[in-house]
Amino acid sequence: MSNFIVYSVVASVVLTVVLNALPLLFPNATAKVQKKIEENARRAIEQNEDADRSGVKVFFPWKAMFIGSIVLTILVNLVVALAR
């Protein structure tokens, strides 16, 4: 069971580093995707300009979710290891 904990923690850290490093490895792709998202959002706003629509902004905390995932993975694995 202790191997599982080690593999789980290592996999979480590696995946977090890889997902955070991908935009650094491909900066042009990131800029292209950002421009495309902005164009699509602008087009959607122009098409749906109703007076009764609210201007709700959505915040997606992806960095906090990665950090939380690592912390919760470690905590859950520690609880399981200590319960035995």
Side-chain angles (χ1 to χ4, degrees), residues 19-30:
L19 289 174
N20 283 309
L22 277 176
L24 297 175
L25 296 174
F26 304 102
N28 293 336
T30 305

Side-chain angles (χ1 to χ4, degrees), residues 24 26-27 32 43 54-55 57 76 81 84:
L24 297 175
F26 304 102
K32 288 179 185 176
R43 195 174 319 124
S54 65
K57 294 183 180 181
V76 167
R84 291 184 178 214

Side-chain angles (χ1 to χ4, degrees), residues 40-62:
N40 288 339
R42 194 173 296 116
R43 195 174 319 124
I45 289 170
E46 290 172 357
Q47 289 177 355
N48 295 323
E49 284 187 344
D50 294 337
D52 58 340
R53 293 213 35 104
S54 65
V56 175
K57 294 183 180 181
V58 177
F59 173 71
F60 188 74
W62 62 273

